[in-house]
Amino acid sequence: MTATENGPPDVDEPWPGLPPLVDQHCHGLLREVPTEVGPFARWLSESDAPPAPGTSYFDSALGLAVRRWCPPALGLPAYAPPERYLDARRALGAGEADRLLLRAAGIGALLVDDGPLPGAQRTGAALADAFAAPAFRVARLEPLAEAAADAAGRGTDAFLAGLAERIAGAAAGSLAFKSVAAYRHGLHLEPAAPSRAELWTAAERWLRTRPPGGRVADPVLLRHLLWSAVETGLPLQLHTGFGDTDLRLHRADPALLTDFVRAVAPTGCPLVLLHCYPFHRQAAHLAAVHPHVYADLGLTLSHVGGRAPAVLAETLELAPFGKLLFSTDAYGLPELYLVGARQFRWALTEALRGPGWPREDTDRAAALLAGGNARRLYGLPEQR
Amino acid sequence: MTATENGPPDVDEPWPGLPPLVDQHCHGLLREVPTEVGPFARWLSESDAPPAPGTSYFDSALGLAVRRWCPPALGLPAYAPPERYLDARRALGAGEADRLLLRAAGIGALLVDDGPLPGAQRTGAALADAFAAPAFRVARLEPLAEAAADAAGRGTDAFLAGLAERIAGAAAGSLAFKSVAAYRHGLHLEPAAPSRAELWTAAERWLRTRPPGGRVADPVLLRHLLWSAVETGLPLQLHTGFGDTDLRLHRADPALLTDFVRAVAPTGCPLVLLHCYPFHRQAAHLAAVHPHVYADLGLTLSHVGGRAPAVLAETLELAPFGKLLFSTDAYGLPELYLVGARQFRWALTEALRGPGWPREDTDRAAALLAGGNARRLYGLPEQR
Amino acid sequence: MTATENGPPDVDEPWPGLPPLVDQHCHGLLREVPTEVGPFARWLSESDAPPAPGTSYFDSALGLAVRRWCPPALGLPAYAPPERYLDARRALGAGEADRLLLRAAGIGALLVDDGPLPGAQRTGAALADAFAAPAFRVARLEPLAEAAADAAGRGTDAFLAGLAERIAGAAAGSLAFKSVAAYRHGLHLEPAAPSRAELWTAAERWLRTRPPGGRVADPVLLRHLLWSAVETGLPLQLHTGFGDTDLRLHRADPALLTDFVRAVAPTGCPLVLLHCYPFHRQAAHLAAVHPHVYADLGLTLSHVGGRAPAVLAETLELAPFGKLLFSTDAYGLPELYLVGARQFRWALTEALRGPGWPREDTDRAAALLAGGNARRLYGLPEQR
């Protein structure tokens, strides 16, 4: 692990016994990372829009976190300016730069959302190879419905049968399902599974009115996807909290899922609330009182930069140590995996050691949060 | 008061002039506290469910707060492991252990919610005796309606008359009323008192369809209970914020009460928002701008453990020093009263002394928050 | 600048290169500031009600912030008691005291909301003269509608034509528009501009039922005002977050504006979210992902007192450095301008220097937040 000169300490060393991280939710890696400042910086925002005139996506807490953690992995001082960093990246060559960044992240296993990303991406074996770590599939639900609709045309029965087949197939090859219902409609969904008649009517209407490639946003169909996933018994990851311009933030409050959480309880199917910010205290409450609810902070700890310890501490106000998971929610840039991992380790040190708790308790809690909880939840083997 | 070795300082000593605490909202005490880890730990969660497989309710901020404050009261080091602590508790005998814990809490007066709790509980004189402090009744509204319904059968007029009698009786023997409308329906209630016709219709329907022992959850009846309490002029405590699995957290935001707060204003009846977290900033705003609104943090400061100073500081961003009250919201375990008291005193020291305010101002504010506000609001005599 | 003895350091000195502040949202100044404690303290609350019995508006985080920053500007020690401070104010004479306070604020330019305030106020040239700084007009939308209605009587066409004229006139003499739709209805408005028929019907109904001097609260008319402002292309400031007793806080969450934000995006019209607390993280998210969205914290940093650095830090978790603006939202008392300015400079120092970021980056970010962003957004000339 690389040494750094200033700012938050390099926490890979201070917590030597911490097992390798399990990144329980991330995405694919770009095949070719841009090395010009503008195109590179576009990956530093959840926005699909260019930055406002006179501003740069580097001028943010996330931009400074990238400058804090990534240059040292390439042999530069922390906070090297973006131009100098990207020059060094180009000089090393993409393969070597990516390798240095990803190995520095210290991620021992990955669960990868198979949903689509812009640009040519590395997934599956190519991703595992890049990390030198096992990569497991998380099956995104909505594209399964869209692929089934593409295949079925206007045939409602064919669509529903095809969807059921795709979900069964995905369950066989995945460790978890993932829903982006928060984006497509919002989390204020009716809690129960739709009736067969309700489902058929919604499917028929969608197929009839769907433009080619159209996304599924009907709340009845989204509920059917959620319940189809619940029936497999695999953990179900749900996007909650902040995201891109598509999102109505107040509709992504995980507390809106409470009735769904209760309806799922008898099945025992684990629900994993992703990201959650700025509703991470609400998510922590759900994780505290419902045995089958888990949560992570995902990209939050990267985006909030120097405030990562505070946001993690806010989450641990109510979240039991056995119910919070680590993830980077990184996508595209190797830098985002490294930043996610370092921000988490740094935040963990600050948040767990701040209150003066005994070292053996914080060591045990840290091991759970870093990977133990994910290994238990997803049935992964112990590592090292 | 006991000395402690590490972690947050024992703040009973640093603030010697602080008057005894007035716990303005708590519950009954178990007659027999379990001394096995599992059954004991069940009281450390708001959940009615067992912990998730592989986890314990001790592995949380609250669990560590109990381990921080309680072992020293029984002569053990802070953070003694749960097994060792419970062994010591058993060895001392329940009576002596309870006595040591409750006296260490330094609570000078209690207002006790008379709502039902699981297990055999000490209330009234037995509770006052255990604390060696006066205990006053807070009358929970919803059980009054349920008892009136049990007595009236299907007679709507008899029910309404009986309920009015019970409320008058409770007012005569209590310092305040308490509503759990947040649990039964949510705080998004119509603000005005229901009309007589509306009330009669709702009551008739409830009595007709109510299963034996059925709870009152009809919003019209809940509003009638609130307004019946308001008419007595006694302070009305309202559950807001987090709680158990029954609760929809987004329906417990105290800001949802704004129209009700305004409707009550002309009567001058004080409204006391309980717990509030994670909407404590919203509660503080209501307390800041409405003269008749007060708030407490209740069990929050216990549950958030090492973050209690931060959460209290967040509340004091807007809450005037004359409008925030102390309570433990403790129930069942003597440990929860001690933890609530110590967490509050510790948080108070940090939150009031952090900003560099003059000592005489912080001393005065601390005395108001610890008990002065409650004594003024509920008409309690000054103590010591 | 004055020296102070204790508490937060006087940050006018530590950050010598910071350009003069641009106060992008404030109000008029009282002609005669009361010098009795009670009447003076009434200006220290957003409430229009007197304080609760036994309490004072000085007993709050804002009260202590006033006592921290203002006495030194008049030659007294920080935290001088209110009586002593007001005696000194009286002895100096109102003119001299106001001058000392306003000059100490270090505000280089002001944008002044022209909405009505209680009491006799200094605005326009008198305000600019008091600050020795240019003062620009922000045209409040709702009074334009009310003046047009006063002039038109019950003539709907005359009203709509008159309103259009007033808006065009205001645009010609102002740097921005301001809406208080959050107060009048709430931010849960339909996002699109009303159709002509919808507008005509709403206007006709309002004119027919409006009592003399009646306020506009109809959501269709409020939307028409917003879209009329958007069409001028001037930045549109929107009240969000906390305020006085009129406000339903949960209806002032800026996330409720998301669909409106998206509908405005193609026009390029900048939207400026004011105050935002306790939804400042939601506002920061909108500013992070929508290029045309900006935000400020307004009166928040004054009201939260010793917590100003924490609240600013929470906002900068997601808000890009190029999208957050400074304002005091001060009104009435010169003290509130000084407190707003000092709290901001102090919070800036703490929030930007805390995470260990490089000095040149924090200097640049501080200059943007203090005034650079406002100068770029409103087209103000560089100063000094």
Side-chain angles (χ1 to χ4, degrees), chain C residues 298-328:
Chain C
L299 74 170
T300 307
L301 297 185
S302 300
H303 277 252
V304 302
R307 292 278 302 174
V311 172
L312 179 58
E314 287 176 0
T315 312
L316 289 172
E317 287 166 2
L318 287 193
F321 305 147
K323 302 300 271 317
L324 191 65
L325 306 168
F326 164 70
S327 86
T328 61

PDB file of all heavy atoms in Angstrom, chain C residues 298-328:
ATOM      1  N   GLY C 298     -28.489  31.237   3.700  1.00  0.00           N
ATOM      2  CA  GLY C 298     -29.234  32.365   4.219  1.00  0.00           C
ATOM      3  C   GLY C 298     -29.110  32.530   5.728  1.00  0.00           C
ATOM      4  O   GLY C 298     -28.011  32.466   6.290  1.00  0.00           O
ATOM      5  N   LEU C 299     -30.242  32.736   6.347  1.00  0.00           N
ATOM      6  CA  LEU C 299     -30.259  32.965   7.790  1.00  0.00           C
ATOM      7  C   LEU C 299     -29.836  31.760   8.614  1.00  0.00           C
ATOM      8  O   LEU C 299     -29.612  31.880   9.833  1.00  0.00           O
ATOM      9  CB  LEU C 299     -31.634  33.448   8.226  1.00  0.00           C
ATOM     10  CG  LEU C 299     -32.775  32.433   8.282  1.00  0.00           C
ATOM     11  CD1 LEU C 299     -33.981  33.036   8.956  1.00  0.00           C
ATOM     12  CD2 LEU C 299     -33.052  31.816   6.970  1.00  0.00           C
ATOM     13  N   THR C 300     -29.737  30.594   7.973  1.00  0.00           N
ATOM     14  CA  THR C 300     -29.423  29.368   8.716  1.00  0.00           C
ATOM     15  C   THR C 300     -28.153  29.520   9.546  1.00  0.00           C
ATOM     16  O   THR C 300     -28.136  29.196  10.740  1.00  0.00           O
ATOM     17  CB  THR C 300     -29.247  28.190   7.733  1.00  0.00           C
ATOM     18  OG1 THR C 300     -30.394  28.111   6.907  1.00  0.00           O
ATOM     19  CG2 THR C 300     -29.042  26.892   8.486  1.00  0.00           C
ATOM     20  N   LEU C 301     -27.092  29.995   8.921  1.00  0.00           N
ATOM     21  CA  LEU C 301     -25.802  30.024   9.622  1.00  0.00           C
ATOM     22  C   LEU C 301     -25.841  30.970  10.817  1.00  0.00           C
ATOM     23  O   LEU C 301     -25.085  30.781  11.772  1.00  0.00           O
ATOM     24  CB  LEU C 301     -24.673  30.398   8.663  1.00  0.00           C
ATOM     25  CG  LEU C 301     -24.442  29.396   7.525  1.00  0.00           C
ATOM     26  CD1 LEU C 301     -23.226  29.798   6.701  1.00  0.00           C
ATOM     27  CD2 LEU C 301     -24.270  27.976   8.049  1.00  0.00           C
ATOM     28  N   SER C 302     -26.709  31.982  10.776  1.00  0.00           N
ATOM     29  CA  SER C 302     -26.878  32.838  11.953  1.00  0.00           C
ATOM     30  C   SER C 302     -27.666  32.115  13.045  1.00  0.00           C
ATOM     31  O   SER C 302     -27.283  32.125  14.207  1.00  0.00           O
ATOM     32  CB  SER C 302     -27.611  34.128  11.578  1.00  0.00           C
ATOM     33  OG  SER C 302     -26.870  34.840  10.608  1.00  0.00           O
ATOM     34  N   HIS C 303     -28.756  31.487  12.647  1.00  0.00           N
ATOM     35  CA  HIS C 303     -29.653  30.892  13.638  1.00  0.00           C
ATOM     36  C   HIS C 303     -29.029  29.708  14.355  1.00  0.00           C
ATOM     37  O   HIS C 303     -29.337  29.457  15.512  1.00  0.00           O
ATOM     38  CB  HIS C 303     -30.983  30.481  12.988  1.00  0.00           C
ATOM     39  CG  HIS C 303     -31.933  31.632  12.867  1.00  0.00           C
ATOM     40  ND1 HIS C 303     -33.047  31.756  13.648  1.00  0.00           N
ATOM     41  CD2 HIS C 303     -31.915  32.725  12.085  1.00  0.00           C
ATOM     42  CE1 HIS C 303     -33.690  32.877  13.330  1.00  0.00           C
ATOM     43  NE2 HIS C 303     -33.017  33.474  12.380  1.00  0.00           N
ATOM     44  N   VAL C 304     -28.194  28.942  13.677  1.00  0.00           N
ATOM     45  CA  VAL C 304     -27.667  27.720  14.300  1.00  0.00           C
ATOM     46  C   VAL C 304     -26.441  27.992  15.159  1.00  0.00           C
ATOM     47  O   VAL C 304     -25.911  27.075  15.790  1.00  0.00           O
ATOM     48  CB  VAL C 304     -27.360  26.615  13.256  1.00  0.00           C
ATOM     49  CG1 VAL C 304     -28.619  26.289  12.465  1.00  0.00           C
ATOM     50  CG2 VAL C 304     -26.210  27.003  12.342  1.00  0.00           C
ATOM     51  N   GLY C 305     -25.991  29.231  15.209  1.00  0.00           N
ATOM     52  CA  GLY C 305     -24.959  29.636  16.144  1.00  0.00           C
ATOM     53  C   GLY C 305     -23.682  28.838  16.026  1.00  0.00           C
ATOM     54  O   GLY C 305     -23.065  28.771  14.951  1.00  0.00           O
ATOM     55  N   GLY C 306     -23.290  28.196  17.108  1.00  0.00           N
ATOM     56  CA  GLY C 306     -22.035  27.462  17.162  1.00  0.00           C
ATOM     57  C   GLY C 306     -21.980  26.279  16.219  1.00  0.00           C
ATOM     58  O   GLY C 306     -20.925  25.652  16.075  1.00  0.00           O
ATOM     59  N   ARG C 307     -23.088  25.934  15.603  1.00  0.00           N
ATOM     60  CA  ARG C 307     -23.135  24.809  14.676  1.00  0.00           C
ATOM     61  C   ARG C 307     -22.983  25.232  13.218  1.00  0.00           C
ATOM     62  O   ARG C 307     -23.122  24.402  12.309  1.00  0.00           O
ATOM     63  CB  ARG C 307     -24.457  24.068  14.853  1.00  0.00           C
ATOM     64  CG  ARG C 307     -24.555  23.353  16.185  1.00  0.00           C
ATOM     65  CD  ARG C 307     -23.858  22.027  16.188  1.00  0.00           C
ATOM     66  NE  ARG C 307     -24.439  21.186  15.137  1.00  0.00           N
ATOM     67  CZ  ARG C 307     -23.968  19.992  14.807  1.00  0.00           C
ATOM     68  NH1 ARG C 307     -22.930  19.486  15.433  1.00  0.00           N
ATOM     69  NH2 ARG C 307     -24.537  19.296  13.854  1.00  0.00           N
ATOM     70  N   ALA C 308     -22.726  26.521  12.969  1.00  0.00           N
ATOM     71  CA  ALA C 308     -22.627  26.984  11.582  1.00  0.00           C
ATOM     72  C   ALA C 308     -21.579  26.198  10.782  1.00  0.00           C
ATOM     73  O   ALA C 308     -21.840  25.813   9.634  1.00  0.00           O
ATOM     74  CB  ALA C 308     -22.343  28.483  11.548  1.00  0.00           C
ATOM     75  N   PRO C 309     -20.412  25.925  11.334  1.00  0.00           N
ATOM     76  CA  PRO C 309     -19.441  25.159  10.528  1.00  0.00           C
ATOM     77  C   PRO C 309     -19.965  23.770  10.155  1.00  0.00           C
ATOM     78  O   PRO C 309     -19.753  23.305   9.032  1.00  0.00           O
ATOM     79  CB  PRO C 309     -18.220  25.045  11.454  1.00  0.00           C
ATOM     80  CG  PRO C 309     -18.336  26.207  12.394  1.00  0.00           C
ATOM     81  CD  PRO C 309     -19.811  26.381  12.607  1.00  0.00           C
ATOM     82  N   ALA C 310     -20.666  23.119  11.082  1.00  0.00           N
ATOM     83  CA  ALA C 310     -21.183  21.776  10.800  1.00  0.00           C
ATOM     84  C   ALA C 310     -22.248  21.825   9.710  1.00  0.00           C
ATOM     85  O   ALA C 310     -22.266  20.980   8.805  1.00  0.00           O
ATOM     86  CB  ALA C 310     -21.749  21.152  12.079  1.00  0.00           C
ATOM     87  N   VAL C 311     -23.145  22.819   9.772  1.00  0.00           N
ATOM     88  CA  VAL C 311     -24.216  22.888   8.776  1.00  0.00           C
ATOM     89  C   VAL C 311     -23.652  23.248   7.397  1.00  0.00           C
ATOM     90  O   VAL C 311     -24.080  22.693   6.376  1.00  0.00           O
ATOM     91  CB  VAL C 311     -25.309  23.880   9.224  1.00  0.00           C
ATOM     92  CG1 VAL C 311     -26.331  24.104   8.128  1.00  0.00           C
ATOM     93  CG2 VAL C 311     -25.998  23.362  10.488  1.00  0.00           C
ATOM     94  N   LEU C 312     -22.672  24.140   7.360  1.00  0.00           N
ATOM     95  CA  LEU C 312     -22.038  24.440   6.072  1.00  0.00           C
ATOM     96  C   LEU C 312     -21.324  23.196   5.543  1.00  0.00           C
ATOM     97  O   LEU C 312     -21.397  22.883   4.343  1.00  0.00           O
ATOM     98  CB  LEU C 312     -21.069  25.617   6.220  1.00  0.00           C
ATOM     99  CG  LEU C 312     -20.320  26.002   4.944  1.00  0.00           C
ATOM    100  CD1 LEU C 312     -21.268  26.360   3.808  1.00  0.00           C
ATOM    101  CD2 LEU C 312     -19.359  27.162   5.207  1.00  0.00           C
ATOM    102  N   ALA C 313     -20.656  22.480   6.426  1.00  0.00           N
ATOM    103  CA  ALA C 313     -19.962  21.257   5.998  1.00  0.00           C
ATOM    104  C   ALA C 313     -20.950  20.233   5.451  1.00  0.00           C
ATOM    105  O   ALA C 313     -20.680  19.571   4.443  1.00  0.00           O
ATOM    106  CB  ALA C 313     -19.167  20.666   7.159  1.00  0.00           C
ATOM    107  N   GLU C 314     -22.104  20.111   6.084  1.00  0.00           N
ATOM    108  CA  GLU C 314     -23.129  19.188   5.579  1.00  0.00           C
ATOM    109  C   GLU C 314     -23.573  19.582   4.169  1.00  0.00           C
ATOM    110  O   GLU C 314     -23.857  18.739   3.324  1.00  0.00           O
ATOM    111  CB  GLU C 314     -24.348  19.179   6.505  1.00  0.00           C
ATOM    112  CG  GLU C 314     -24.110  18.457   7.827  1.00  0.00           C
ATOM    113  CD  GLU C 314     -25.291  18.530   8.789  1.00  0.00           C
ATOM    114  OE1 GLU C 314     -26.311  19.148   8.430  1.00  0.00           O
ATOM    115  OE2 GLU C 314     -25.193  17.991   9.892  1.00  0.00           O
ATOM    116  N   THR C 315     -23.662  20.878   3.937  1.00  0.00           N
ATOM    117  CA  THR C 315     -24.089  21.353   2.621  1.00  0.00           C
ATOM    118  C   THR C 315     -23.025  21.082   1.566  1.00  0.00           C
ATOM    119  O   THR C 315     -23.330  20.710   0.427  1.00  0.00           O
ATOM    120  CB  THR C 315     -24.400  22.853   2.692  1.00  0.00           C
ATOM    121  OG1 THR C 315     -25.230  23.105   3.824  1.00  0.00           O
ATOM    122  CG2 THR C 315     -25.091  23.326   1.429  1.00  0.00           C
ATOM    123  N   LEU C 316     -21.758  21.258   1.963  1.00  0.00           N
ATOM    124  CA  LEU C 316     -20.666  21.046   1.008  1.00  0.00           C
ATOM    125  C   LEU C 316     -20.354  19.568   0.802  1.00  0.00           C
ATOM    126  O   LEU C 316     -19.447  19.235   0.044  1.00  0.00           O
ATOM    127  CB  LEU C 316     -19.418  21.799   1.466  1.00  0.00           C
ATOM    128  CG  LEU C 316     -19.518  23.332   1.328  1.00  0.00           C
ATOM    129  CD1 LEU C 316     -18.326  24.012   1.972  1.00  0.00           C
ATOM    130  CD2 LEU C 316     -19.620  23.728  -0.152  1.00  0.00           C
ATOM    131  N   GLU C 317     -21.100  18.683   1.476  1.00  0.00           N
ATOM    132  CA  GLU C 317     -20.932  17.257   1.170  1.00  0.00           C
ATOM    133  C   GLU C 317     -21.234  17.015  -0.302  1.00  0.00           C
ATOM    134  O   GLU C 317     -20.494  16.324  -0.976  1.00  0.00           O
ATOM    135  CB  GLU C 317     -21.860  16.420   2.062  1.00  0.00           C
ATOM    136  CG  GLU C 317     -21.383  16.363   3.513  1.00  0.00           C
ATOM    137  CD  GLU C 317     -22.424  15.836   4.484  1.00  0.00           C
ATOM    138  OE1 GLU C 317     -23.533  15.471   4.053  1.00  0.00           O
ATOM    139  OE2 GLU C 317     -22.126  15.800   5.704  1.00  0.00           O
ATOM    140  N   LEU C 318     -22.325  17.572  -0.808  1.00  0.00           N
ATOM    141  CA  LEU C 318     -22.667  17.377  -2.224  1.00  0.00           C
ATOM    142  C   LEU C 318     -22.592  18.650  -3.057  1.00  0.00           C
ATOM    143  O   LEU C 318     -22.403  18.573  -4.269  1.00  0.00           O
ATOM    144  CB  LEU C 318     -24.080  16.787  -2.370  1.00  0.00           C
ATOM    145  CG  LEU C 318     -24.306  15.323  -1.998  1.00  0.00           C
ATOM    146  CD1 LEU C 318     -25.666  14.866  -2.528  1.00  0.00           C
ATOM    147  CD2 LEU C 318     -23.216  14.402  -2.519  1.00  0.00           C
ATOM    148  N   ALA C 319     -22.761  19.824  -2.454  1.00  0.00           N
ATOM    149  CA  ALA C 319     -22.817  21.048  -3.264  1.00  0.00           C
ATOM    150  C   ALA C 319     -21.441  21.347  -3.862  1.00  0.00           C
ATOM    151  O   ALA C 319     -20.461  21.474  -3.136  1.00  0.00           O
ATOM    152  CB  ALA C 319     -23.271  22.229  -2.414  1.00  0.00           C
ATOM    153  N   PRO C 320     -21.361  21.464  -5.184  1.00  0.00           N
ATOM    154  CA  PRO C 320     -20.078  21.850  -5.791  1.00  0.00           C
ATOM    155  C   PRO C 320     -19.702  23.266  -5.351  1.00  0.00           C
ATOM    156  O   PRO C 320     -20.565  24.100  -5.077  1.00  0.00           O
ATOM    157  CB  PRO C 320     -20.370  21.804  -7.291  1.00  0.00           C
ATOM    158  CG  PRO C 320     -21.608  20.972  -7.441  1.00  0.00           C
ATOM    159  CD  PRO C 320     -22.396  21.203  -6.181  1.00  0.00           C
ATOM    160  N   PHE C 321     -18.394  23.524  -5.273  1.00  0.00           N
ATOM    161  CA  PHE C 321     -17.933  24.824  -4.786  1.00  0.00           C
ATOM    162  C   PHE C 321     -18.404  25.975  -5.676  1.00  0.00           C
ATOM    163  O   PHE C 321     -18.436  27.123  -5.247  1.00  0.00           O
ATOM    164  CB  PHE C 321     -16.411  24.845  -4.680  1.00  0.00           C
ATOM    165  CG  PHE C 321     -15.861  23.739  -3.833  1.00  0.00           C
ATOM    166  CD1 PHE C 321     -14.625  23.161  -4.119  1.00  0.00           C
ATOM    167  CD2 PHE C 321     -16.582  23.254  -2.747  1.00  0.00           C
ATOM    168  CE1 PHE C 321     -14.126  22.124  -3.341  1.00  0.00           C
ATOM    169  CE2 PHE C 321     -16.088  22.219  -1.956  1.00  0.00           C
ATOM    170  CZ  PHE C 321     -14.845  21.659  -2.268  1.00  0.00           C
ATOM    171  N   GLY C 322     -18.756  25.685  -6.914  1.00  0.00           N
ATOM    172  CA  GLY C 322     -19.201  26.736  -7.824  1.00  0.00           C
ATOM    173  C   GLY C 322     -20.703  26.978  -7.772  1.00  0.00           C
ATOM    174  O   GLY C 322     -21.220  27.791  -8.549  1.00  0.00           O
ATOM    175  N   LYS C 323     -21.424  26.314  -6.865  1.00  0.00           N
ATOM    176  CA  LYS C 323     -22.880  26.396  -6.896  1.00  0.00           C
ATOM    177  C   LYS C 323     -23.504  26.907  -5.586  1.00  0.00           C
ATOM    178  O   LYS C 323     -24.713  27.084  -5.525  1.00  0.00           O
ATOM    179  CB  LYS C 323     -23.492  25.028  -7.243  1.00  0.00           C
ATOM    180  CG  LYS C 323     -23.059  24.435  -8.559  1.00  0.00           C
ATOM    181  CD  LYS C 323     -23.393  25.291  -9.755  1.00  0.00           C
ATOM    182  CE  LYS C 323     -24.760  25.014 -10.342  1.00  0.00           C
ATOM    183  NZ  LYS C 323     -25.173  23.655 -10.485  1.00  0.00           N
ATOM    184  N   LEU C 324     -22.691  27.141  -4.573  1.00  0.00           N
ATOM    185  CA  LEU C 324     -23.236  27.616  -3.305  1.00  0.00           C
ATOM    186  C   LEU C 324     -22.906  29.098  -3.130  1.00  0.00           C
ATOM    187  O   LEU C 324     -21.794  29.526  -3.430  1.00  0.00           O
ATOM    188  CB  LEU C 324     -22.641  26.805  -2.142  1.00  0.00           C
ATOM    189  CG  LEU C 324     -23.308  26.990  -0.767  1.00  0.00           C
ATOM    190  CD1 LEU C 324     -24.728  26.482  -0.754  1.00  0.00           C
ATOM    191  CD2 LEU C 324     -22.488  26.262   0.317  1.00  0.00           C
ATOM    192  N   LEU C 325     -23.862  29.878  -2.641  1.00  0.00           N
ATOM    193  CA  LEU C 325     -23.730  31.324  -2.544  1.00  0.00           C
ATOM    194  C   LEU C 325     -23.816  31.761  -1.088  1.00  0.00           C
ATOM    195  O   LEU C 325     -24.311  31.043  -0.230  1.00  0.00           O
ATOM    196  CB  LEU C 325     -24.856  31.988  -3.344  1.00  0.00           C
ATOM    197  CG  LEU C 325     -24.982  31.536  -4.804  1.00  0.00           C
ATOM    198  CD1 LEU C 325     -26.295  32.033  -5.402  1.00  0.00           C
ATOM    199  CD2 LEU C 325     -23.816  32.037  -5.642  1.00  0.00           C
ATOM    200  N   PHE C 326     -23.344  32.983  -0.844  1.00  0.00           N
ATOM    201  CA  PHE C 326     -23.476  33.582   0.482  1.00  0.00           C
ATOM    202  C   PHE C 326     -24.682  34.495   0.541  1.00  0.00           C
ATOM    203  O   PHE C 326     -24.946  35.263  -0.379  1.00  0.00           O
ATOM    204  CB  PHE C 326     -22.215  34.387   0.823  1.00  0.00           C
ATOM    205  CG  PHE C 326     -22.425  35.325   1.984  1.00  0.00           C
ATOM    206  CD1 PHE C 326     -22.587  34.828   3.276  1.00  0.00           C
ATOM    207  CD2 PHE C 326     -22.487  36.705   1.796  1.00  0.00           C
ATOM    208  CE1 PHE C 326     -22.808  35.683   4.351  1.00  0.00           C
ATOM    209  CE2 PHE C 326     -22.702  37.563   2.869  1.00  0.00           C
ATOM    210  CZ  PHE C 326     -22.865  37.053   4.151  1.00  0.00           C
ATOM    211  N   SER C 327     -25.423  34.414   1.642  1.00  0.00           N
ATOM    212  CA  SER C 327     -26.381  35.484   1.939  1.00  0.00           C
ATOM    213  C   SER C 327     -26.605  35.522   3.438  1.00  0.00           C
ATOM    214  O   SER C 327     -26.331  34.548   4.143  1.00  0.00           O
ATOM    215  CB  SER C 327     -27.717  35.279   1.211  1.00  0.00           C
ATOM    216  OG  SER C 327     -28.584  34.436   1.943  1.00  0.00           O
ATOM    217  N   THR C 328     -27.080  36.652   3.919  1.00  0.00           N
ATOM    218  CA  THR C 328     -27.430  36.763   5.335  1.00  0.00           C
ATOM    219  C   THR C 328     -28.924  36.551   5.556  1.00  0.00           C
ATOM    220  O   THR C 328     -29.336  36.184   6.644  1.00  0.00           O
ATOM    221  CB  THR C 328     -27.090  38.154   5.893  1.00  0.00           C
ATOM    222  OG1 THR C 328     -27.852  39.133   5.163  1.00  0.00           O
ATOM    223  CG2 THR C 328     -25.601  38.446   5.767  1.00  0.00           C
TER     224      THR C 328
END
